[in-house]
Amino acid sequence: MTGTAPADRTPRTALRWAVAHGLPAMYLTRAARRGDLVARLLRDPRLRADPHPVYERLRARGPVSDSSLGLVTPSHRVAAEVLRSEAFGVGWHRSTAPRWVQWLLTATDDPAADGVAEPPSMLVTDPPDHTRYRRLVSRAFTPRATAAFEPRIEAIARSLLDQLDGGGDPVDLVAGYAAPLPVLVIAELLGVPTDRRADFLRWGGAAAVTLDPGLPYRRYAEAEGALRAMHRFLSGHFDRLRRDPGDDLVSHLVGLPDDALTDRELHAVVMLLLGAGFETTVNLLSNAVVLLDAHRDQWNGLAADPSGWDLAVEEVLRYDSPVQLTGRTALADTTVAGRPVPAGSRVTVLLGAANRDPEVFTDPARFDVTRANARDHLAFSAGIHYCLGAGLARLEAAGALRVLAERFPRLRVAGPPVRRDLQTLRGFSRLPVRLR
Ligand code: HEM
């Protein structure tokens, strides 16, 4: 059964947590106490409301500086260079860990608990496997395939707003609109049943949590329980599609010859597409509504002339990036901005800071939906891991916001929005609004 997922609290779960989160948490907490800024970004919940003062302190140190996790860059130029460089890979390599950590990782390995931030997830896999995964799924995300989805996005948006429009009382725009819209879109695109959307939301939330390092045990165990439930659902779904395939991407993937994807890889690919397909777009939508409420003239301008929505979405992505940071590991000895980087060491790439780099964006702390070069942001990363769903996310966000402003031009935020309790992803968990 795939109903409410109980938290898993077996000894193996505890060991998996200890090695993947418990030890990093101890290390980061100590480093944060010593004043290390990257550790503080990852550990200090007070920085969640506004990490930019810390980004600016790092920027004042130069394009790259030292941190408890290796080098860190808030620079757009250096971030783009690292993300596009063949000298760097994703994730870290087990071989660089102490022997006992490698042993623990092998001993606690369990495909049924795989999350989106561990191999074989595409996000943390280097070529040649990465190239193989990406080639198998990119046909569903070509510009033409994505554009064909535009009418469905609008129809889904209108139907959600019909359900949400309860009169003058405040409603939660995240629960009623920003969260379900991208879930319904990606579920349709992948051919998974949309009636399981409440489950997808819960499982996706768990996947999002596991992107953060150093989770407390209870949160990790809950997330692992949800991931296991998602894998069980996917196994059943793949069996159904093998018996009765449709015209969708997942039917195509399950019908491939056995040597194209192992079962574990198939799970990883579909889980990532499902999770990434909505856990980020929900943030883009909620960040956009909060920013445009605070810049009311810009909302009014867009409501009057909807042709500006595409650029407005780019400015939201730049100004309040839904994915704040990522990282890369040097595959061989190399250099970054003149600094030597030994093989195996890490560079933390602060996407949210790069997107406010004054070398690229004039007056970067100003939110301006007409900013001509807003699209130069790195919110979708760069290089071979450039977001596969960027086109879809742009289309969804512009469509959802245009329909919202058309239908409810007087919409106002009606209470304090609540930030999600996450560090890597940035958005809101609750956004009370009055529609009329
Ligand atoms: C506002 C919405 C979105 C944002 C800000 C976003 C951001 C990102 C970023 C920053 C990365 C790369 C991380 C890195 O380089 O380490 C990425 C990768 C990815 N995204 Fe998105 N994403 C969004 C929406 C979507 C959607 C709608 C999909 C739909 C399928 C999607 C699927 C993926 C996949 C599959 C990858 C992995 C690509 C690879 O490793 O080659 N994303 N995304």
Side-chain angles (χ1 to χ4, degrees):
M1 273 304 295
T2 51
T4 305
D8 271 308
R9 296 194 182 205
T10 62
R12 273 178 90 194
T13 299
L15 274 178
R16 239 190 323 275
W17 165 80
V19 69
H21 290 275
L23 290 172
M26 266 164 53
Y27 176 74
L28 286 170
T29 304
R30 261 195 228 137
R33 278 204 203 108
R34 285 198 313 270
D36 180 75
L37 293 179
V38 171
R40 280 193 57 210
L41 282 170
L42 293 171
R43 295 304 292 166
D44 188 346
R46 288 167 304 178
L47 294 181
R48 220 153 286 163
D50 186 9
H52 288 278
V54 170
Y55 293 163
E56 294 316 314
R57 283 177 64 190
L58 285 165
R59 202 185 311 283
R61 292 181 184 173
V64 278
S65 49
D66 292 304
S67 84
S68 56
L69 294 182
L71 293 179
V72 55
T73 182
S75 150
H76 188 285
R77 178 175 48 81
V78 174
E81 177 190 325
V82 170
L83 294 170
R84 294 193 177 114
S85 165
E86 285 181 11
F88 285 91
V90 282
W92 58 278
H93 293 266
R94 284 185 179 195
S95 55
T96 61
R99 277 263 170 85
W100 62 274
V101 172
Q102 291 185 45
W103 180 84
L104 266 180
L105 283 168
T106 308
T108 57
D109 184 49
D110 181 358
D114 278 349
V116 293
E118 47 199 321
S121 161
M122 197 185 330
L123 263 182
V124 285
T125 304
D126 292 332
D129 286 335
H130 174 264
T131 323
R132 175 165 56 94
Y133 305 154
R134 193 138 169 153
R135 210 171 272 152
L136 289 174
V137 293
S138 41
R139 65 176 210 145
F141 296 93
T142 59
R144 192 201 278 186
T146 304
F149 239 76
E150 193 164 14
R152 276 307 294 149
I153 293 172
E154 277 204 14
I156 292 170
R158 288 187 203 289
S159 124
L160 286 170
L161 290 180
D162 286 344
Q163 294 163 44
L164 199 60
D165 186 9
D169 291 340
V171 289
D172 180 5
L173 199 72
V174 171
Y177 194 60
L181 185 133
V183 180
L184 291 169
V185 172
I186 194 72
E188 280 196 20
L189 195 146
L190 293 178
V192 298
T194 51
D195 60 355
R196 299 298 296 268
R197 83 179 195 220
D199 286 330
F200 293 148
L201 278 167
R202 201 174 54 252
W203 300 335
V209 164
T210 58
L211 291 176
D212 284 342
L215 290 176
Y217 179 58
R218 205 165 62 93
R219 271 191 104 191
Y220 174 80
E222 280 166 11
E224 194 180 292
L227 290 172
R228 286 177 183 282
M230 190 165 180
H231 282 298
R232 282 195 296 274
F233 162 78
L234 289 176
S235 295
H237 185 58
F238 297 156
D239 286 345
R240 277 190 294 281
L241 293 184
R242 280 190 190 104
R243 286 193 302 271
D244 184 15
D247 191 24
D248 52 84
L249 177 66
V250 182
S251 293
H252 166 75
L253 294 176
V254 300
L256 291 169
D258 281 351
D259 59 350
L261 277 181
T262 65
D263 194 52
R264 189 172 194 172
E265 290 170 340
L266 174 67
H267 274 255
V269 163
V270 178
M271 184 181 250
L272 177 65
L273 287 177
L274 249 181
F278 59 87
E279 274 303 323
T280 43
T281 314
V282 53
N283 302 326
L284 172 56
L285 287 174
S286 58
N287 292 349
V289 171
V290 170
L291 278 169
L292 289 165
D293 187 69
H295 300 85
R296 197 62 190 169
D297 50 330
Q298 302 194 40
W299 167 270
N300 290 337
L302 289 162
D305 175 10
S307 68
W309 277 114
D310 288 345
L311 193 54
V313 165
E314 302 302 329
E315 178 67 348
V316 177
L317 282 161
R318 182 195 75 83
Y319 188 89
D320 207 8
S321 310
V323 180
Q324 285 285 303
L325 56 107
T326 183
R328 294 293 186 263
T329 306
L331 297 172
D333 290 351
T334 182
T335 56
V336 167
R339 292 277 308 261
V341 185
S345 66
R346 199 76 187 143
V347 179
T348 301
V349 177
L350 298 173
L351 301 173
N355 290 339
R356 297 226 193 153
D357 188 336
E359 278 184 14
V360 178
F361 303 105
T362 317
D363 199 1
R366 186 167 48 88
F367 177 71
D368 175 3
V369 295
T370 64
R371 183 184 291 276
N373 72 340
R375 214 183 150 97
D376 292 342
H377 63 72
L378 294 172
F380 290 123
S381 189
I384 61 169
H385 292 273
Y386 180 80
C387 176
L388 183 68
L392 180 66
R394 289 183 156 122
L395 202 68
E396 279 180 88
L401 291 165
R402 184 168 37 75
V403 170
L404 182 67
E406 222 171 73
R407 177 88 172 264
F408 300 114
R410 291 153 61 90
L411 177 141
R412 293 308 311 244
V413 172
V418 180
R419 277 271 174 215
R420 296 181 76 180
D421 187 16
L422 299 173
Q423 285 126 2
T424 305
L425 300 184
R426 182 168 173 80
F428 293 95
S429 57
R430 230 175 76 76
L431 173 52
V433 298
R434 226 179 274 283
L435 295 171
R436 299 174 179 280

